Amino acid sequence: MSRFFHGGGDSSSESSSDEEELYSTSDEEEQAEEQESSEEGEKEDSSDDEAGPAKKGLSRFLLDQASSESEGESDVEATAKVKSAKDKRFDELDATITIIQNGQKINDWGSIANEFDKLNRQVAKLQDGGKAPKAYIKCITQLEDFLNESLAKQKVTPKKMNATNARGLNAVKQKIKKNNKDYQAQIDLFRKDSDAFMESDDEEVPPPPPAKVKLQMPTEEAGEDEDKGFARVDKRGKAIPFSPESIQKHLRAILESRGRKNTDRQEQIKIMEELNKVAATPYLKIRVLQTLVSARFDLGSGTTNVMPVEHWKAAERELAALLELLEANKDHVVLENVEEWDDDDKVPVLGPDDKYIKVAGSVVSYIERLDDELTRSLQAIDPHTSEYIERLTDETSLYNIILQGLLYYETIRKDASLEVPQESLNRVIQRRLDHIYFKPAQVVKILEENSWKNVTSGIDSETTPRALSGDAGQLIHVLCNYLFEHSEGIIRARAMLCQIYFLALHDDYYKARDMMLTSHLQENIANFDVATQILYNRTLVQVGLCAFRKGLVYDAQNTLQDICGSGRQKELLAQGVMMQRYNQVSPEQERLEKQRQLPFHMHINLELLECVYLTCSMLLEIPLLAQTGSSPDIKKRVISKTYRRMLEYHERQIFTGPPENTRDHVMQASKALAAGEWKKATHFIHSIKIWELMPGAEDIKTMLAKQIQEEGLRTYLFTYAPFYDTLAVETLSTMFELESPKVSAVISKMISHEELAAALDQVTETVIFRKGVELSRLQSLALTLSDKASALIETNERTLELRTQGSANAFSRKDGRGGGQRGGGQRGGRGGARGGAHHGQRQAGGTQFTGGALGAAVRG
Amino acid sequence: MASAPTANGGSSLAEYDLILKLAQHLDRHMIFPLLEFSAGQLVDEESGEIKDEAKAREITQSKFSLLKKTNMTDYVANLYCELEGLKEPPTEFADRRQKVFGQLEKYEQETSKIIELLERDDVVNNLRSDKVANLEFLKRDHDVTIEMVNALFDFGNLQYSCGNYADASEMLYRFRVLSTDNDKVSYATWGRLACEILTMNWESALEEIQKVRELIDSKLAQNPLAQLEHRTALLHWALFPLFNFEKAREPILDLFFNAGYINTIQASCPWVLRYLAVAVITNRSRAKNPGMHQKQMKDVVRIVKQEAYEYQDPITRFVHALCIDFDFEEAQRQLVLAEEVLRSDFFLLAHADDFVESARHLIFESYCKIHARISLKDLSARLGLSAEAAEKWIVNLIRDTRLDAKIDYKEGTVVMNHPPSSVYQQVIEKTKGGFFRTQVLTAAIAK
């Protein structure tokens, strides 16, 4: 049986060599088709309608001309190899089919069974785009008929078959049923009109390359009227009857081809779009929509490619349609824990006892996937283009879907008999939270209002009533509380972090801090996944920024220390990949890291962050530097290593130009502050542009000016105390433009904390500096030595305690140890951590969040 | 439960009245003395007349609603009569009374056997520390069932509800000896604590506090929320012995300063800070260990600072002004206010004078630390005393505390002498313990 045995009659004018050439080119194109499936798929789709077959016939003809005329001999030769390989397979197929036919004649089921297996293997190699060779279809159809015949015969005649035969028969019987299902469409076609089917075979084989059609259509008129034979031809979809009855079969076929190679997803989507139009009952509609949405998601699968935008939008629409459908048909539910409906020929109907028709599937997974795909697409788009903004508008529609999904789950959860897992609802709520937690209240309000507009007015959510949408803070609170109560593990931790983030963003510092401390997250954040750790870092930063806005410099610095002190802000906040890392990262790791990146609109401004951090460090470090002066234990107390390093670098410069960037500004301000020129320092800090990005920039500037005044006073006192005997409070007050009670208070504080060896004289309103307090070099060295000696003893004791597992409690001296241990932990953490997977490890070292005793107590 | 003391006019004191906040964490029986106290405050001391009728009535009303759910039927009936102006209480009270009596009798019967057993020496002598074995023994030899043991618990509960705290305490004690039901034992412990507090039996109350504390630490370690709630309650209950029993001070302050409890105060009941601050400040003269007191004071200051955003009253503001801002004038102003607040606080009434005295001390101390020369006139203003009294006070103080200070009478100033601590002294201090500690170490290694 030649592949072209019918074709010969059709185009008699062409020589056999031409035939071969035709075949080879078509073959080549088939391969090309596989490669660029998407482009061609669409092309074909568009030409698939009524005019399709005719055009195809024509173009095929044109193509022949083109390939034989314009393309030279070399082309033919180049494809010759391909031709023979493929042809050989066809020959083999033919041979197998002949054996089967022979087997049928002599009723030899044993050999039929063997050959049938072989046949299927061969066909798998020959399939193109889900289509099997016609000869194969013919064969299996005949075989099936024969099988049914012999089965019927066997029932009538009690004559026994021999063992091999019986076994073969059974094997074929089982296999053929399953197998033929895959080709049901083609088989039906064949049964209808076997001749036409086999004929169509030839026409169908060479699909035209669309590019060439375009090129040559205008030049070559359709001179010969294409004969009717082509018009009859059916291509893929069209001939397959899209009837409601066959929907389930189609779906099954599509589902089964899912994930296989060589499946044309575009084509399948096309089919399903058609099916969706045909589907009459809600059940079928739901099924089609489900499969359709999944198929669309498959387009974006794989690690690198992003789901096409139009498909995302279509999926979004279809998901919305699905949710609406479920909303309208309350007796249909989509659930995860339902068994698949196996019978393709029937549609499940509502039994008298059943309340619902259950469809297997997971709405929440669709929603999550849709969300993820949007994120991925945002990651891929350059954030500084209008495209990004355009894409971002899709978030609104996504949010609608999430809200509707939430409503859907709330409805079905009302019925206990459905056993909807709590987890699904949690996941939807978590997604919703993920979309609002980092946004300012006004934005959330608008988002909420818009999405509620899309919900029918009668419906309301139980967890988050419509009335709540106006108050973003309340909304977040309710959502988070719901998750606290109903979830655990990561979702719970994330909910907590989201709430803290939101509180911090809205200047509710104390609440945010308390929640952060009571959450106990800083201890076990290392056990969570990287995404949660990133969220933790973001939250931490946000709390730090909030503290800064409140004027709590110490707290802000302490909180930001972990992230900013590391010099890896970008990585820790997932806002960029670190560049130089000694090539230790495998491509795999790098890819993972890229995937983790947050979309741009969620970013925290790193420059602002750095600016805040450095400013805080300056306010703490400069007085400290002045205080420690030249004493030998200068190295002991370092608040921020990063800042110190920068300061040193800055001081090493021989010429310093006017400040250009944020860092320069802060460094020059530091220098001025150290010299007691607080006005200059204030000027430098105020001229940093980035403050404008903070809400209430003016207040922050005033706050900073005040802080600089005070710290300037302290620095001044530390630096110049040795040169004074007495100093009038009044003088200081005019010098730093502070009120004299304030000056007295600052001095009192310093005296009381024994930072300054002085006393106030109330009568004359002066500060009297005590003399003879400055230590000589020898004295300070002696002090250091004694400190070190006691530290040594302490370490020894601790070591022993460790060895004896705490039984030697005699040594427990709890107080005053915290500092040392803490520092050690931090250092260890910084040294040990490398690579993205180690985020948490570093965190563990830095648990001294906001310093206070509360932190220590909570940990304890 | 208890209705709010209405903020009539701009009464600044009402704003600092903590009864509402305290009531949330106290048992209804314990709230009762607090209400009595607020009622007492309204009575004019000289004439014995009630100053604010409406408010008095309100308090009676809250007393009624407070006790309605208890079984102290007679008293409730009286209250009802008072409220409604009736002579005879309605019959429903009599019915309830009957019912309560019936119940009492029933339980009495149920428990009579076991009580009798527990009073017999031969039985008690056979009891060991192992509860399970005890129960086995009683079951085997004396037909005691677990229901009987539980009846003890219920009986105790009922007794408590009727106001027979002493009996209730006894019942619960017996129950606790026998029962193996952990939950009920912990209830019983709480119940006993309440009984001891209400019968003002402070010594045993202290013991119970210790027990409850252990229970919380051990049983609830896995449940942070319940732990927090229980600790909050314990903190509130412990206020009773803290201010009423001199010996309870040290252990209870210890309890309060325990990390877990400090944390609880910060997390769920910052108003306890007032009591903590007062207790620490007044503890000054009593503290055996000045180092300890200083540490506690430091802790208080730290917490007051941390919680300033959440809770403030004149007492904490005083601490804040004095120890954080070094604003002596503000401290003085707050001290005046604080005295008023103290005088209207159930727990602190008796300690008001003590507090003012100690607070003055504190002011002077930190003032001296900072200043080299102080004008007497100014100081007397700060301490809220007349010039002469201030002088006397300072002289006494200098004598008592051995401050290195002298009064320059001609100039009208106090001159402080701050000797700088010598470097040599510092080095000696730092290395003093070294030898001993090393010795201990070597001894420990040798073991």
Side-chain angles (χ1 to χ4, degrees):
Chain A
M1 246 204 211
S2 158
R3 189 172 146 81
F4 296 110
F5 75 114
H6 273 225
D10 254 19
S11 49
S12 52
S13 62
E14 283 166 335
S15 68
S16 64
S17 73
D18 267 340
E19 243 180 76
E20 269 175 19
E21 204 181 305
L22 156 70
Y23 173 48
S24 67
T25 27
S26 72
D27 208 339
E28 196 183 23
E29 279 152 22
E30 273 166 23
Q31 289 180 335
E33 188 187 21
E34 275 167 29
Q35 278 159 11
E36 351 169 317
S37 62
S38 74
E39 188 201 346
E40 191 163 326
E42 267 165 59
K43 267 279 147 24
E44 278 185 13
D45 290 346
S46 60
S47 61
D48 223 4
D49 297 322
E50 273 66 49
K55 248 189 216 166
K56 244 153 236 167
L58 170 66
S59 49
R60 180 196 68 86
F61 185 74
L62 294 176
L63 169 70
D64 296 342
Q65 300 265 317
S67 57
S68 57
E69 281 169 21
S70 60
E71 276 155 35
E73 286 249 318
S74 61
D75 197 21
V76 182
E77 269 168 26
T79 56
K81 219 195 280 171
V82 184
K83 170 187 103 181
S84 64
K86 187 120 188 178
D87 232 11
K88 226 190 262 167
R89 281 195 200 136
F90 269 110
D91 291 344
E92 280 169 11
L93 187 74
D94 289 344
T96 321
I97 291 173
T98 324
I99 297 175
I100 293 181
Q101 280 166 346
N102 290 340
Q104 285 176 15
K105 279 175 201 149
I106 56 166
N107 231 356
D108 179 5
W109 283 104
S111 69
I112 289 178
N114 286 339
E115 291 304 316
F116 184 66
D117 283 350
K118 200 167 141 202
L119 184 69
N120 279 335
R121 274 199 301 277
Q122 287 166 342
V123 157
K125 285 179 196 153
L126 281 169
Q127 272 183 18
D128 58 317
K131 291 279 200 178
K134 304 294 167 184
Y136 170 73
I137 299 293
K138 188 182 167 199
C139 173
I140 56 169
T141 320
Q142 285 167 352
L143 185 61
E144 197 182 359
D145 293 344
F146 181 66
L147 176 79
N148 291 338
E149 218 171 277
S150 25
L151 281 175
K153 229 187 263 168
Q154 221 184 348
K155 267 180 203 156
V156 187
T157 54
K159 202 184 111 198
K160 265 247 172 187
M161 273 179 154
N162 70 35
T164 350
N165 262 358
R167 215 182 302 134
L169 177 64
N170 277 332
V172 174
K173 191 175 98 186
Q174 279 163 8
K175 273 178 209 148
I176 206 160
K177 226 179 188 173
K178 204 167 120 235
N179 188 54
N180 284 13
K181 219 179 262 170
D182 292 342
Y183 307 102
Q184 198 58 46
Q186 284 166 290
I187 291 173
D188 290 349
L189 217 58
F190 176 79
R191 289 235 165 110
K192 229 193 267 163
D193 187 353
S194 58
D195 280 347
F197 179 77
M198 293 314 282
E199 217 159 280
S200 76
D201 187 9
D202 282 351
E203 265 69 69
E204 203 255 333
V205 170
K212 279 180 183 161
V213 176
K214 265 192 198 157
L215 250 167
Q216 296 182 0
M217 271 301 275
T219 51
E220 285 211 37
E221 283 294 299
E224 309 112 286
D225 233 351
E226 278 307 317
D227 41 355
K228 309 293 177 268
F230 291 122
R232 280 190 278 130
V233 166
D234 277 321
K235 236 290 271 181
R236 307 200 179 169
K238 271 302 65 177
I240 306 165
F242 283 134
S243 66
E245 294 76 38
S246 68
I247 285 179
Q248 299 210 53
K249 279 172 196 154
H250 284 301
L251 291 180
R252 182 165 298 278
I254 288 166
L255 279 177
E256 274 165 9
S257 70
R258 216 181 150 187
R260 277 196 207 151
K261 272 192 183 168
N262 297 341
T263 42
D264 184 351
R265 301 202 184 96
Q266 300 277 2
E267 179 63 32
Q268 291 180 346
I269 287 172
K270 191 75 203 163
I271 293 174
M272 279 187 285
E273 276 170 355
E274 292 297 325
L275 289 176
N276 190 23
K277 281 178 207 149
V278 185
T281 62
Y283 174 78
L284 288 177
K285 272 209 162 117
I286 290 170
R287 286 289 310 274
V288 174
L289 283 172
Q290 275 185 324
T291 331
L292 185 49
V293 171
S294 314
R296 286 199 200 274
F297 285 144
D298 281 348
L299 287 175
S301 67
T303 46
T304 42
N305 50 340
V306 175
M307 191 172 163
V309 177
E310 66 270 22
H311 279 288
W312 189 91
K313 288 200 167 140
E316 185 262 316
R317 271 195 306 277
E318 279 144 12
L319 204 49
L322 176 64
L323 286 167
E324 258 165 47
L325 205 61
L326 289 169
E327 167 71 42
N329 300 282
K330 297 258 190 215
D331 51 352
H332 288 72
V333 286
V334 175
L335 292 172
E336 285 98 335
N337 49 3
V338 178
E339 278 187 24
E340 296 259 359
W341 183 260
D342 273 333
D343 194 345
D344 280 352
D345 299 326
K346 275 186 268 170
V347 170
V349 281
L350 214 52
D353 309 331
D354 305 333
K355 254 171 101 182
Y356 300 102
I357 294 177
K358 294 175 183 175
V359 187
S362 166
V363 175
V364 64
S365 302
Y366 291 136
I367 293 175
E368 284 183 334
R369 187 67 200 269
L370 197 64
D371 190 2
D372 291 343
E373 289 298 337
L374 179 64
T375 313
R376 273 170 65 172
S377 133
L378 284 172
Q379 278 170 350
I381 299 172
D382 177 6
H384 302 292
T385 54
S386 58
E387 193 192 352
Y388 188 87
I389 298 165
E390 231 166 75
R391 196 80 184 88
L392 204 54
T393 49
D394 287 338
E395 204 192 5
T396 322
S397 41
L398 175 64
Y399 192 76
N400 286 345
I401 297 266
I402 294 178
L403 184 63
Q404 278 167 5
L406 178 65
L407 291 174
Y408 168 67
Y409 272 104
E410 277 179 6
T411 342
I412 59 171
R413 259 191 70 85
K414 272 183 211 149
D415 194 332
S417 66
L418 288 175
E419 290 172 7
V420 183
Q422 176 72 46
E423 197 218 341
S424 313
L425 193 51
N426 289 347
R427 272 156 71 192
V428 183
I429 292 188
Q430 178 60 43
R431 288 285 163 170
R432 187 166 171 201
L433 200 55
D434 279 344
H435 279 277
I436 52 176
Y437 80 93
F438 61 93
K439 287 179 181 155
Q442 301 91 316
V443 180
V444 177
K445 197 177 160 195
I446 295 167
L447 189 64
E448 273 285 308
E449 274 167 4
N450 286 340
S451 12
W452 277 108
K453 265 181 217 154
N454 287 342
V455 180
T456 349
S457 59
I459 299 158
D460 210 348
S461 161
E462 259 171 54
T463 36
T464 56
R466 194 182 283 258
L468 219 60
S469 64
D471 187 351
Q474 199 58 33
L475 175 71
I476 297 256
H477 182 75
V478 166
L479 288 176
C480 292
N481 259 8
Y482 184 86
L483 291 180
F484 295 159
E485 278 168 34
H486 296 95
S487 68
E488 52 195 11
I490 285 186
I491 289 198
R492 192 174 175 159
R494 285 190 74 95
M496 199 111 68
L497 288 171
C498 287
Q499 187 167 16
I500 297 169
Y501 190 103
F502 187 84
L503 285 172
L505 195 65
H506 293 83
D507 281 334
D508 209 339
Y509 172 70
Y510 291 107
K511 222 169 162 187
R513 186 198 65 175
D514 285 355
M515 271 190 76
M516 193 76 168
L517 289 172
T518 43
S519 68
H520 291 255
L521 273 175
Q522 61 263 49
E523 295 138 54
N524 50 20
I525 189 70
N527 307 332
F528 287 102
D529 64 335
V530 177
T532 312
Q533 289 183 11
I534 288 167
L535 182 61
Y536 176 80
N537 290 342
R538 280 164 60 76
T539 310
L540 204 60
V541 165
Q542 204 54 252
V543 172
L545 289 177
C546 177
F548 178 76
R549 288 194 296 267
K550 286 247 157 190
L552 303 162
V553 173
Y554 177 78
D555 298 312
Q557 204 277 341
N558 223 334
T559 315
L560 294 178
Q561 176 73 44
D562 269 352
I563 307 295
C564 302
S566 66
R568 303 193 303 155
Q569 301 93 309
K570 261 192 188 172
E571 203 184 341
L572 292 176
L573 295 174
Q575 295 185 180
V577 189
M578 286 289 280
M579 282 296 120
Q580 65 347 330
R581 279 206 279 147
Y582 317 109
N583 295 331
Q584 281 184 349
V585 204
S586 65
E588 175 73 5
Q589 261 176 317
E590 204 170 299
R591 198 174 51 69
L592 277 176
E593 194 150 316
K594 282 227 173 89
Q595 266 178 22
R596 281 201 289 268
Q597 298 303 311
L598 293 170
F600 184 75
H601 65 285
M602 293 173 77
H603 282 198
I604 295 170
N605 190 325
L606 286 178
E607 204 186 341
L608 180 65
L609 182 62
E610 192 194 16
C611 177
V612 167
Y613 174 69
L614 288 178
T615 312
C616 290
S617 301
M618 173 188 86
L619 289 171
L620 296 176
E621 280 274 19
I622 293 296
L624 185 73
L625 276 171
Q627 186 188 358
T628 43
S630 57
S631 77
D633 49 19
I634 182 166
K635 291 258 156 54
K636 244 187 190 168
R637 288 175 60 193
V638 177
I639 295 172
S640 161
K641 270 194 181 147
T642 325
Y643 174 80
R644 284 264 169 117
R645 217 172 33 240
M646 281 180 196
L647 196 64
E648 269 165 34
Y649 176 76
H650 183 79
E651 272 166 5
R652 268 208 305 273
Q653 283 180 331
I654 303 166
F655 300 110
T656 42
E660 278 167 8
N661 54 20
T662 316
R663 196 179 291 181
D664 286 349
H665 273 102
V666 179
M667 287 306 138
Q668 301 218 354
S670 307
K671 242 181 155 179
L673 190 63
E677 296 174 85
W678 65 272
K679 272 195 178 161
K680 218 166 145 191
T682 316
H683 174 74
F684 278 127
I685 292 289
H686 279 192
S687 53
I688 296 175
K689 295 272 188 309
I690 205 157
W691 294 130
E692 304 302 330
L693 290 182
M694 278 213 168
E698 277 314 305
D699 294 343
I700 286 168
K701 282 185 180 172
T702 332
M703 179 274 288
L704 281 173
K706 220 180 114 236
Q707 299 265 8
I708 290 173
Q709 271 174 329
E710 268 178 48
E711 296 306 328
L713 172 63
R714 275 159 54 80
T715 315
Y716 183 85
L717 284 172
F718 281 134
T719 320
Y720 299 107
F723 309 109
Y724 286 104
D725 238 347
T726 55
L727 198 52
V729 171
E730 196 57 41
T731 322
L732 287 174
S733 150
T734 43
M735 204 190 266
F736 288 93
E737 291 178 15
L738 285 165
E739 289 163 29
S740 50
K742 181 79 203 169
V743 175
S744 311
V746 171
I747 296 171
S748 303
K749 208 186 234 173
M750 288 166 76
I751 295 170
S752 173
H753 293 162
E754 292 175 356
E755 292 171 335
L756 194 64
L760 282 169
D761 187 329
Q762 200 194 12
V763 183
T764 53
E765 292 278 318
T766 49
V767 193
I768 303 165
F769 294 99
R770 240 176 283 135
K771 285 292 123 184
V773 226
E774 313 83 80
L775 306 178
S776 72
R777 183 111 185 104
L778 178 65
Q779 283 169 336
S780 61
L781 280 176
L783 271 180
T784 322
L785 182 64
S786 61
D787 275 346
K788 288 203 168 144
S790 50
L792 180 68
I793 295 175
E794 205 146 280
T795 329
N796 278 341
E797 283 174 354
R798 216 179 308 150
T799 318
L800 185 69
E801 208 170 318
L802 262 180
R803 288 286 294 274
T804 52
Q805 281 307 320
S807 61
N809 278 331
F811 307 120
S812 67
R813 245 166 250 247
K814 279 175 202 138
D815 313 307
R817 264 193 205 169
Q821 279 172 334
R822 217 189 261 169
Q826 213 174 342
R827 238 172 286 130
R830 197 165 293 153
R834 188 144 296 287
H838 293 287
H839 284 250
Q841 206 181 330
R842 233 195 56 70
Q843 295 289 314
T847 46
Q848 82 283 36
F849 165 67
T850 1
L854 189 49
V858 170
R859 255 177 282 141
Chain B
M1 218 184 286
S3 69
T6 44
N8 45 353
S11 166
S12 60
L13 286 179
E15 167 186 349
Y16 301 118
D17 199 340
L18 292 179
I19 192 162
L20 252 189
K21 284 174 176 159
L22 294 174
Q24 290 165 7
H25 300 283
L26 292 173
D27 192 82
R28 41 180 94 235
H29 295 258
M30 287 182 214
I31 301 168
F32 183 66
L34 265 71
L35 281 176
E36 283 281 80
F37 175 77
S38 350
Q41 291 254 304
L42 294 176
V43 179
D44 204 351
E45 272 167 34
E46 278 118 56
S47 58
E49 271 172 28
I50 293 165
K51 282 184 282 190
D52 188 342
E53 276 294 339
K55 207 168 165 197
R57 192 180 157 72
E58 202 177 316
I59 289 173
T60 322
Q61 173 71 47
S62 37
K63 267 196 223 165
F64 175 68
S65 41
L66 181 69
L67 298 176
K68 208 162 51 184
K69 292 212 182 72
T70 69
N71 286 328
M72 297 194 268
T73 40
D74 289 348
Y75 189 75
V76 175
N78 284 342
L79 276 178
Y80 186 77
C81 298
E82 195 181 320
L83 267 179
E84 302 293 321
L86 298 173
K87 284 270 183 284
E88 282 289 304
T91 47
E92 52 176 308
F93 288 104
D95 290 350
R96 259 189 78 185
R97 200 180 146 174
Q98 267 337 101
K99 223 190 267 167
V100 172
F101 274 123
Q103 268 178 325
L104 275 175
E105 227 161 90
K106 180 176 138 247
Y107 280 120
E108 208 155 342
Q109 277 166 7
E110 277 176 27
T111 55
S112 59
K113 176 167 180 199
I114 196 164
I115 290 171
E116 194 185 314
L117 274 175
L118 286 175
E119 271 159 12
R120 269 162 53 189
D121 279 344
D122 59 321
V123 177
V124 176
N125 287 340
N126 275 322
L127 293 180
R128 300 279 173 271
S129 60
D130 184 359
K131 280 185 180 177
V132 183
N134 281 345
L135 207 58
E136 274 302 307
F137 158 74
L138 286 176
K139 261 185 203 163
R140 199 176 56 239
D141 294 4
H142 305 280
D143 302 329
V144 173
T145 59
I146 192 79
E147 283 75 30
M148 292 167 81
V149 177
N150 286 338
L152 275 177
F153 178 80
D154 295 334
F155 190 36
N157 213 346
L158 190 68
Q159 293 268 33
Y160 179 76
S161 176
C162 296
N164 294 335
Y165 305 123
D167 291 347
S169 164
E170 193 62 18
M171 284 301 152
L172 291 175
Y173 177 74
R174 284 182 178 145
F175 168 75
R176 214 170 49 184
V177 169
L178 294 177
S179 175
T180 49
D181 183 340
N182 280 332
D183 283 345
K184 278 198 170 172
V185 167
S186 90
Y187 290 138
T189 313
W190 277 102
R192 248 202 116 209
L193 173 58
C195 296
E196 301 300 346
I197 288 172
L198 289 166
T199 48
M200 311 230 268
N201 204 347
W202 304 125
E203 298 251 357
S204 39
L206 256 188
E207 277 169 34
E208 293 304 318
I209 285 180
Q210 210 53 41
K211 278 201 183 108
V212 170
R213 185 182 168 184
E214 278 161 22
L215 271 178
I216 293 173
D217 286 343
S218 60
K219 294 270 156 56
L220 298 172
Q222 299 308 316
N223 184 354
L225 190 66
Q227 203 172 27
L228 186 76
E229 277 165 9
H230 279 79
R231 282 186 173 157
T232 314
L234 184 62
L235 283 171
H236 282 88
W237 291 26
L239 290 176
F240 287 91
L242 176 65
F243 289 103
N244 289 314
F245 185 53
E246 201 60 29
K247 276 192 204 152
R249 243 166 212 251
E250 290 273 330
I252 290 180
L253 274 183
D254 260 2
L255 171 84
F256 276 42
F257 278 108
N258 177 293
Y261 289 86
I262 280 280
N263 192 15
T264 308
I265 294 178
Q266 291 189 313
S268 68
C269 51
W271 51 88
V272 175
L273 266 182
R274 171 197 292 183
Y275 300 102
L276 192 59
V278 171
V280 171
I281 290 172
T282 53
N283 209 21
R284 207 193 103 89
S285 47
R286 295 191 196 94
K288 288 174 208 122
N289 183 354
M292 189 73 179
H293 175 252
Q294 257 170 19
K295 197 186 154 280
Q296 287 180 344
M297 193 66 209
K298 251 190 200 159
D299 282 344
V300 168
V301 171
R302 202 193 60 226
I303 301 158
V304 164
K305 187 179 170 191
Q306 275 174 8
E307 296 302 308
Y309 70 93
E310 207 165 39
Y311 176 76
Q312 281 193 345
D313 68 12
I315 292 109
T316 64
R317 263 183 245 141
F318 166 76
V319 174
H320 201 273
L322 186 65
C323 303
I324 296 163
D325 295 340
F326 293 92
D327 185 342
F328 296 100
E329 277 149 44
E330 177 65 19
Q332 178 56 35
R333 270 197 299 279
Q334 293 301 337
L335 183 58
V336 177
L337 273 177
E339 196 183 341
E340 273 183 64
V341 171
L342 251 62
R343 289 201 191 284
S344 60
D345 191 295
F346 172 76
F347 292 106
L348 301 175
L349 177 63
H351 299 272
D353 294 327
D354 201 2
F355 175 76
V356 173
E357 182 68 23
S358 304
R360 278 198 191 127
H361 227 97
L362 213 58
I363 295 179
F364 185 69
E365 212 174 55
S366 70
Y367 209 74
C368 288
K369 198 174 163 195
I370 289 163
H371 290 81
R373 203 151 59 127
I374 311 160
S375 105
L376 256 181
K377 222 168 79 196
D378 195 71
L379 189 61
S380 57
R382 272 178 211 237
L383 296 171
L385 296 165
S386 72
E388 228 161 279
E391 199 183 317
K392 223 186 219 164
W393 193 77
I394 291 164
V395 170
N396 280 333
L397 201 71
I398 291 171
R399 204 170 46 203
D400 288 350
T401 57
R402 298 202 189 84
L403 262 174
D404 195 356
K406 286 197 172 66
I407 295 177
D408 185 336
Y409 195 74
K410 195 172 136 210
E411 300 271 331
T413 54
V414 186
V415 182
M416 308 293 152
N417 191 8
H418 302 278
S421 66
S422 127
V423 188
Y424 309 110
Q425 197 61 41
Q426 282 179 34
V427 174
I428 291 167
E429 284 290 327
K430 274 181 187 167
T431 48
K432 207 160 57 180
F435 179 62
F436 173 70
R437 282 163 76 184
T438 319
Q439 263 188 332
V440 175
L441 258 180
T442 26
I445 292 167
K447 253 187 257 173

